[in-house]
Amino acid sequence: MSETNAWQIRAVELQPQSKAFIDGEYVDAASGKTFDNFSPHDGHLISKVAAGETEDINRAVACAKKTFDDGTWRDMNPRDKKIIMLRWAELLGEHREELALLEAVDTGRPISDALNVDAPNSMQVIQWYGETIDKTYDEVAPVPGGALALVTREPLGVVGAIVPWNYPMIITSWKLGPAIAMGNSIVVKPAENSSLSALKMAELAVAAGLPNGVFNVVPGFGAEAGQALARHMDVAKIAFTGSGATGRKMMQYAAESNMKQVCLELGGKSAQVILSDCSDLEKAAITIGWAIYYNAGQTCNAGSRIIVERGVKEELFAHLNKFLESFVVGDQFDPNTQMAGLVSKVQRDRVNSYLDLIGQEGEKLIFGGQKTSGDNLLIQPTLIDEVKPDSRLAQEEIFGPVLVAIDAKDEVDALRIANGTEYGLAASVWSSNITRAHKFARKLRAGTVWINTFDMLDVVTPFGGFGASGGGRDKSLHALDDYSGLKTTWVDLN
Ligand code: NAD
């Protein structure tokens, strides 16, 4: 049996846990309702997932609050907390194949990515934050004599995390790691089409010794479970990753409830700028290709616009065409596949609607561009040239394998175009002159900038954006500040 067939069979035979996970155990939704979770790969019914609603969120938040108020986790000896988080990371490693399969079945992503990127990255994030627990110190402020002022980080209480479907496990771990390391309790509301990996992560956390109620998962629809969580009066913070439209609602829900903190990680339209002195156009083309087509473009920081300074386009496009011809597009369970289908028909139709725009303002299709229909969720990698900087194709987040190319007269023009969207998540610049590249990078309005590369990411560096990309920052030690509040304690020494 081929490896592809073996994975396909495992995917069909999978019987995942799909109830809510509250207070350390799997439970049905209070209403008994479920929703069908279909595979994007072949449409089979993966599972019936508990459809959490207000009552389930209330129950999960009450458990999380009780555990927090009891101090079971918050006040545990830091070294013991660290041991539990490290054991949890170990279990995530031991269950790598199962987690990768759950993620692949839910999202349609290539199994090789789920195995080699999503599962190990999530494990590393939990491990890294576990390590911070007994290595971060608070402060003594340099106040005038006769007094002592301690500045300590205090956990916030119950954190609500609402996550999308494009990298469910990785994004969930970005919230879990710092929130739990800081002593908070958390209720996660996964996206409708990707609940399974979060549930397994919670089960493994409890198996590692995390007290019941610290990490709860309530699957369900955004408008019901998501809204109930974001409006809950006992939730101290909402950590949200998703679309701008839903991000706005988070702010509104917070304002209309308890003014909880809101941390937003939203979309992007990241620019890859190729200046005319880029000396390795072949490397640039390969990097550009991966930057947009990885995960079929369903990446918030996907490098979805290339801005090419006059003089290098012809050679760059020749390399890009070569990349596209050798890029392996196909069955998600074939270990050689580099890009598979989109997550859902809804997403496919959304991408189709952008393909309809090609040619309307003089755009030229260079590669791909065909719409698909029915059960076919695979859209070929697409490259479109001569896109106007202010057109919808250049301004809106497509969230599919669609790369648009925009001409720039010179460096000034390139910078204006690169910064000319409402987003500010990520960007790259290519130049063989490092001084020029640095100066350009400084002027790019983006939370992450790469020089002569793209997509170098690590838990040790913060990730987030400016403007409509949301101002939240996941990862790194800075995220610890996001999941805590500063408390000053004065002592009179006189
Ligand atoms: P979405 O906003 O539709 O959904 C995200 C989450 O919000 C889901 O769990 C959904 O159930 C929930 N939700 C939806 N409506 C809600 C409501 N009214 N109240 C409460 N919760 C609600 O986004 P999506 O389609 O799942 O994800 C794609 C978007 O996420 C893209 O725009 C992408 O760029 C963005 N994204 C950003 C980052 C980042 O780190 N900046 C990472 C991944 C994805």
Side-chain angles (χ1 to χ4, degrees), residues 163 165-166 189 192 222 226 241-243 246 250 253 266-267 300 397:
V163 290
W165 44 260
N166 58 342
K189 206 301 280 172
E192 294 77 339
T241 299
S243 64
T246 314
M250 295 298 140
Y253 298 157
L266 310 173
C300 48
E397 184 181 48

Side-chain angles (χ1 to χ4, degrees), residues 415-437:
L415 183 69
R416 181 186 57 79
I417 297 167
N419 285 341
T421 74
E422 61 175 338
Y423 296 110
L425 191 55
S428 73
V429 56
W430 291 80
S431 164
S432 56
N433 179 335
I434 197 71
T435 307
R436 188 182 183 210

